[in-house]
Amino acid sequence: MRAVGLSDSRTVGLLGAVVVALLSVSQTVRLSSQDTTRGKTVYVKWCAGCHGEDGKGDGPAAAYMLPRPRDFTGAVYQIRTTANGQLPTDADLMRSIDDGLFGTAMPGWKGRLSDAERRDVLAYLKTFSAFFADTTQRPVALAFGREPGSDARVGRQFYDSIGCRKCHGDQGRGDGPSAPTLKDDAGFPIFAADLAQSWRFNGGGDVAAIYRRLRTGLDGTPMPSFSDLIDQKFLTADELWHLAQYVRSLSPTRPPELRDVIHAPAARGALPAAPDDSAWNRVEPSWFPLVGQVIHKSRWFTPAIAGVWVQALHDGRALALRITWDDRSQSPDSAWRPFTQRVLASVAGDDSTPPAAALWPDQLIVQFPTKVPEGMERPYFLMGAATQPVYQWRWTSALRTSGRAVAGLARGIERFDSLPAGSAPAAQAVYDHGQWRLVLTRALATPDTADDLQFRTGRAIPVAFFGQDGSNGEFGTRMAVSTWYFLALDQPTPPRVFVTPVVAIAVTLGLGLVLVRRAQQRGTRA
Ligand code: HEC
Ligand code: HEC
């Protein structure tokens, strides 16, 4: 089991690296002979694809990213221990280079570059700005003091009174009334951070890191510094610490762990069809990170939905899936239209004619194979293929009140053939302060055994998820995607002889593999 904070940023970082690799092929990098410092060599090889040869944040991959790579010539840095508007310390820069900026395309370099290489590249990127040349003014870290005992209740009071809600919203999911208007200093649209996902905070998600961000602000973004409120005696340092504790309390205690299998326990009573039925509180959710769809045109590098929480229950006759995801906008929402427009104008795509902004809905797709597979083979994860379709449930916010989602067969990303309405799962959704909660329910067995997946207990059923935030300019193939995971419906077996189906499956599969391998070895020996 890995912490998603890591694998999440690793996936995103990997994506970035792929982009850089793709684009640097077409790029000719020239090194002038008198200026080949070691730092420059590292920079040109590893950083310039995003940050640009001259450090202006305009490398060949930059146009595909939001937020954009840092423009080093301005010397404006987000993650600092220094006051608002000040230069960062070397240690601040080293932290960003070592760990990367979680939740963005900026990868961490600690494992990839040696200590010396990272020190050299740090020294080199400071040469892009004259501000660092003035050695009479060395940046000094603020004194942050010590964290007092926790009092999240006081923190919540200040959350309301000093205007965090304006941008971050009542529950902190980045859906405040000002959220659709936010831009960074370069004029690019920027989301207010989702405070329920602290493992994706750029500068780290523990209380101390959050406190430092509140003291320093994130320079270059609309996220202000609140140090002056302490200077003005509007609140004490301890109260600001309590605010940091409150913010931390909005996220899970530990970063979600990436699991491969969603367990669907057998329900004790009736299946909960409503998203806020209290029965869901007793079912453990699994988190599945999503990344941009960058395989097929139109590619999408800046998805808004970071992942989905999934819970499942069955009663031997029907299956209920509850999918919960954070989305700052209940699309289509005309208040977000200018934001959509700015996103489309800012992110390079591969369309010959960039689309005009429209009021697109939000969408969630759950994907299965058409049949529970016998072995390990699965259809192509990205919506199957013409020869091997996948079975999907498609729900959109436009269908919100219909009580239904659409079932159908996808034959590749461009082709979806919907099945008759009788095949469709029941759907109930609520939108609540920056979060969708959706329950999809369907009988395990249906009359259309040729097209509809027939669910079976005690088997690992492949499942994948795709999401779209309409207000972020996501429609068509522009979406956030997951890879295949598994859904396992527990067999209603008495607890005494209970072997978890997944273990059973693993053992069976493992044995199967051993047998096959033995048979093959025997074959080659014979
Ligand atoms: C895949 C693209 C990509 C690559 C490669 C990359 N960066 Fe970045 N970098 C970014 C993005 C995007 C940001 C801005 C993130 C944000 O604004 O939240 C960033 C920000 C930064 C920052 C600013 C941190 C702050 O506090 O504001 C530093 C420093 C940095 N990168 C250094 C480097 C160095 C050094 C390298 C090469 C070893 C490198 N980057 C390679 C994408 C990249
Ligand atoms: C004017 C809008 C605005 C206000 C007011 C505001 N924020 Fe933010 N905040 C932002 C934006 C935008 C970001 C995301 C910056 C980025 O992505 O680089 C952010 C990021 C954050 C982060 C993530 C830091 C990180 O390391 O990535 C935290 C935590 C946070 N804000 C807490 C707060 C709290 C607490 C308050 C109130 C004291 C507050 N913010 C007030 C706009 C705002």
Side-chain angles (χ1 to χ4, degrees), residues 67 70 78-79 95 101-104 158-160 162-168 178-179 182-183 190-195 198 200-205 209-211 213-214 218-224 226 229 240 243-244 246-248:
R70 190 69 64 253
Q78 281 184 14
I79 309 305
R95 185 215 160 279
L101 272 68
F102 308 114
T104 80
F158 283 100
Y159 183 83
D160 291 335
I162 64 179
C164 313
R165 314 163 54 119
K166 215 175 55 179
C167 296
H168 292 284
S178 302
L182 298 177
K183 298 176 194 170
I190 187 168
F191 280 130
D194 182 344
L195 302 183
S198 62
R200 304 183 74 243
F201 289 174
N202 294 2
I210 297 168
Y211 178 74
R213 300 293 85 73
L214 296 179
L218 291 165
D219 287 4
T221 83
M223 170 68 193
F226 294 89
L229 293 186
L240 197 65
L243 178 50
Y246 169 71
V247 168
R248 182 61 189 81

Side-chain angles (χ1 to χ4, degrees), residues 194-201 250-252 287 306-307 309 326 328:
D194 182 344
L195 302 183
Q197 298 179 343
S198 62
W199 68 93
R200 304 183 74 243
F201 289 174
L250 297 171
S251 298
W287 165 262
W309 293 99
D326 289 3
R328 295 164 180 84

